[in-house]
């Protein structure tokens, strides 16, 4: 949640000069150079990164864990699939949000302001997710965020600037609320203690896939079809994550029974 807060803060700041100055004056080349400059600033703090991570789990849980390609890895693998499917639903809409806004008659300036405000709205939502972590079930946060995303898609069907702005706010806040619990649940059910770090790679792969199929979907049914597919993927991601938690619980129960039998 804290990670998303920092990312969103920088995104909110960057969108304003991009949409109001860089892109109008220098076009796509200027935009890419601007983004490259932002990325390069990360190198300034590399010297302070720790050489290796430190486990925060209890000592008895901090071992090597199960083998990465064993039966024990099944819950984490299902969780990674869930994260990828969910992210595909989110990015399927996000990739084309500017085009969707233009199709609804929004000006480039208003689209930029809406995206900036949306980025800002993720800050309190991600902070709420971080604060609620450990206080309520992560599954509740996933459900709440997923429902919010579906409401955002529904709101976009209404005409006018207000509907587009509300959609951006709802979409951004709901994503920021649901994303951290996905990572937390995968970390919790990962018996191998290693597969959870693949979460971002799984989400990146889903972004590639949804990018490849979005064009044909839009050609076949327009942006409403794309949002329908995105909604289905978001729901499917939550269901698959629930399956991963269920499988993890059963594995834990079986392991407890085996330990009790050996004693």
């Amino acid at each position: 949640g804290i990670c998303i807060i920092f990312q969103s803060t920088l995104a909110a700041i960057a969108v304003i000069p991009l949409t109001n100055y860089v892109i109008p004056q220098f076009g796509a080349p200027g935009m890419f150079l601007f983004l490259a400059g932002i990325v390069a600033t990360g190198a300034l703090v590399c010297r302070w990164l720790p050489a290796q991570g430190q486990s925060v789990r209890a000592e008895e849980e901090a071992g090597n864990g199960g083998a990465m390609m064993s039966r024990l890895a099944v819950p984490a693998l299902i969780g990674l699939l869930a994260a990828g499917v969910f992210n595909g639903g989110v990015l399927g809409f996000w990739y084309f949000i500017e085009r969707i806004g233009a199709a609804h008659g929004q000006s480039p300036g208003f689209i930029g302001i809406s995206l900036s405000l949306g980025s800002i709205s993720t800050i309190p939502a991600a902070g709420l997710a971080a604060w609620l972590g450990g206080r309520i079930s992560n599954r509740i946060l996933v459900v709440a965020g997923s429902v919010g995303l579906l409401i955002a898609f529904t709101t976009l069907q209404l005409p006018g600037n207000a509907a587009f702005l509300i959609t951006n706010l709802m979409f951004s806040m709901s994503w920021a609320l649901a994303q951290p619990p996905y990572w937390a649940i995968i970390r919790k059910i990962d018996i191998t203690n290693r597969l959870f770090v693949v979460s971002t790679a799984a989400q990146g792969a889903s972004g590639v896939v949804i990018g490849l199929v979005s064009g044909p979907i839009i050609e076949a049914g327009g942006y409403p079809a794309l949002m329908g597919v995105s909604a289905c993927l978001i729901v499917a991601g939550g269901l698959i994550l629930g399956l991963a938690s269920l499988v993890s619980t059963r594995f834990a129960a079986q392991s407890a029974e085996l330990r009790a039998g050996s004693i």
Side-chain angles (χ1 to χ4, degrees):
I2 295 173
C3 175
I4 291 177
I5 289 174
F6 278 91
Q7 291 176 348
S8 300
T9 301
L10 180 57
I13 296 172
V15 163
I16 296 176
L18 269 174
T19 57
N20 290 282
Y21 177 72
V22 177
I23 294 177
Q25 292 292 325
F26 304 102
M31 177 188 70
F32 287 121
L33 287 175
F34 183 85
L35 294 176
I38 294 178
V39 172
T41 60
L44 300 176
V45 296
C46 283
R47 59 173 296 185
W48 291 286
L49 291 176
Q52 60 185 8
Q54 295 181 350
S55 175
V56 296
R57 283 190 172 188
E59 184 176 347
E60 63 270 20
E61 297 180 344
N64 291 330
M68 290 180 64
M69 291 296 113
S70 68
R71 177 174 173 271
L72 295 176
V74 171
L77 291 174
I78 298 176
L80 291 174
L81 175 62
V85 171
F86 170 79
N87 196 62
V90 171
L91 290 181
F93 175 76
W94 180 252
Y95 282 162
F96 292 90
I97 192 169
E98 187 274 335
R99 290 290 83 203
I100 293 173
H104 280 72
Q106 310 301 327
S107 67
F110 185 76
I111 292 173
I113 292 174
S114 298
L115 294 178
S116 181
L117 292 176
S119 296
I120 293 173
S121 70
T122 63
I123 297 173
L128 178 64
W131 181 76
L132 290 175
R135 291 178 169 84
I136 65 173
S137 171
N138 284 313
R139 282 172 286 190
I140 294 177
L141 295 178
V142 169
V143 171
S146 299
V147 170
L149 289 168
L150 300 181
I151 294 175
F153 294 157
T154 304
T155 304
L156 190 57
Q157 308 310 310
L158 301 174
N161 292 353
F164 183 74
L165 176 59
I166 293 173
T167 295
N168 273 282
L169 295 175
M170 282 290 299
F171 176 84
S172 300
M173 293 176 66
S174 300
W175 167 77
L177 189 64
Q179 182 64 84
Y182 265 88
W183 293 331
I185 291 175
I186 294 173
R187 178 68 179 96
K188 182 179 180 180
I189 66 178
D190 180 19
I191 303 175
T192 71
N193 289 345
R194 292 187 292 271
L195 278 173
F196 71 95
V197 300
V198 189
S199 297
T200 52
Q203 292 178 315
S206 71
V208 174
V209 174
I210 195 64
L212 290 173
V213 302
S214 292
I217 292 173
I218 295 172
E219 287 182 354
Y223 294 120
L226 178 64
M227 286 188 287
V229 171
S230 293
C232 290
L233 291 175
I234 289 169
V235 173
L239 294 175
I240 297 172
L241 188 66
L243 174 62
S245 297
L246 179 61
V247 172
S248 175
T249 301
R250 290 187 176 182
F251 276 26
Q254 292 174 2
S255 299
E257 290 176 1
L258 289 175
R259 287 197 299 269
S262 63
I263 293 175

